[in-house]
Amino acid sequence: EFEVEWAPVDAAPHEWTPIGFSHIQQRTVARLRGDTTYRFRVRAQNERGVGGWCETLTVKTRQDPIDGGGHGPGYVWTQTASDVTISFELPKTTSKHDVIVKLKPECLTVAVKKEERNDVVIDCELYGKVQTLDNGSFWELIREDGKLMLNVMLEKRIQSVAPKFDYWRSIAPGHPELEIDTHKLESQGQGVQQIKPGQMDPQQLRSMGLGHFASSKLS
């Protein structure tokens, strides 16, 4: 048998929450906070007794989605099933002529012109393909609550029959620490609604052949 314990990384060294012993080698820990780092440890037990704890494993949970999106280094983002908006706060003295936005269907580069060099704000491959700046996507520079914000609106190129599958986990692939938990989203036409704690995803219920429970879970 194996025993698993977990604790937030900022908890006291002795404050562990046990899950208990089980023969199951894959365990699920529910109700963890989003965008939070946790510690896990495991030990085995057999007829000879209980072994020592393994080396502590540190992991970070996905972000809880806000308006369908999340945050990354130097930006926040939102999304619907059909588009993504990435917002950057720029120095207040930045003019529209100082902003460089290069967009290809699969990658995005944003930079601000400086006297000696350009300050790159983001340069990454995108999670999904998007329309170019001359075909649906665009950007704008606005002042909001005393801040100068650059908003880059990306129109998603590939849209499936089920909008649920059109939601991005992050702006750039390959960075699980920046991903949102898409299981906490449900599609409603072209909009996004966050699922309440303890509420099952109706799309998942239907895929499991339990569609008759979907309406009761939403009520």
Side-chain angles (χ1 to χ4, degrees):
E1 292 184 325
F2 299 91
E3 182 181 23
V4 179
E5 290 187 345
W6 63 271
V9 73
D10 56 355
H14 63 279
E15 293 181 353
W16 290 89
T17 300
I19 302 178
F21 283 96
S22 174
H23 291 288
I24 301 175
Q25 297 185 15
Q26 182 174 336
R27 311 290 293 276
T28 299
V29 182
R31 302 186 184 280
L32 298 179
R33 297 193 303 270
D35 199 19
T36 304
T37 303
Y38 289 89
R39 296 175 291 145
F40 286 84
R41 64 182 184 180
V42 181
R43 65 179 177 178
Q45 173 181 262
N46 57 24
E47 64 277 1
R48 295 185 178 182
V50 180
W53 292 106
C54 72
E55 183 178 349
T56 300
L57 174 67
T58 301
V59 297
K60 185 177 181 181
T61 55
R62 292 190 176 111
Q63 300 174 25
D64 288 332
I66 299 177
D67 292 330
H71 61 84
Y75 65 86
V76 295
W77 65 285
T78 61
Q79 70 172 324
T80 68
S82 59
D83 57 69
V84 173
T85 299
I86 314 173
S87 299
F88 309 88
E89 182 179 355
L90 301 183
K92 295 180 180 180
T93 56
T94 305
S95 71
K96 189 173 183 179
H97 300 289
D98 296 328
V99 178
I100 303 172
V101 178
K102 297 180 180 179
L103 178 63
K104 297 181 180 179
E106 298 178 345
C107 59
L108 169 67
T109 300
V110 176
V112 177
K113 294 179 181 178
K114 299 292 185 179
E115 291 184 2
E116 298 180 355
R117 59 179 177 80
N118 294 334
D119 185 7
V120 177
V121 179
I122 191 172
D123 183 14
C124 68
E125 177 185 355
L126 294 171
Y127 190 87
K129 291 185 177 181
V130 299
Q131 301 290 1
T132 56
L133 292 175
D134 58 355
N135 195 27
S137 298
F138 65 97
W139 63 273
E140 62 180 3
L141 200 60
I142 64 172
R143 295 193 181 276
E144 185 177 273
D145 298 328
K147 300 178 181 179
L148 183 62
M149 303 298 298
L150 170 64
N151 296 328
V152 181
M153 276 69 81
L154 307 176
E155 182 179 333
K156 297 177 182 178
R157 174 175 287 190
I158 300 176
Q159 298 183 27
S160 60
V161 176
K164 175 75 176 182
F165 301 104
D166 292 328
Y167 295 120
W168 293 8
R169 290 183 178 180
S170 61
I171 292 300
H175 298 278
E177 73 280 3
L178 299 179
E179 291 184 355
I180 63 168
D181 189 350
T182 54
H183 291 95
K184 294 185 178 180
L185 297 174
E186 61 172 302
S187 57
Q188 292 188 342
Q190 295 299 303
V192 175
Q193 178 177 346
Q194 184 166 337
I195 294 177
K196 299 177 182 178
Q199 177 184 351
M200 293 191 69
D201 184 347
Q203 295 287 349
Q204 291 179 329
L205 286 170
R206 296 186 183 97
S207 66
M208 295 166 60
L210 302 174
H212 55 288
F213 285 108
S215 58
S216 62
K217 292 293 182 181
L218 288 172
S219 61

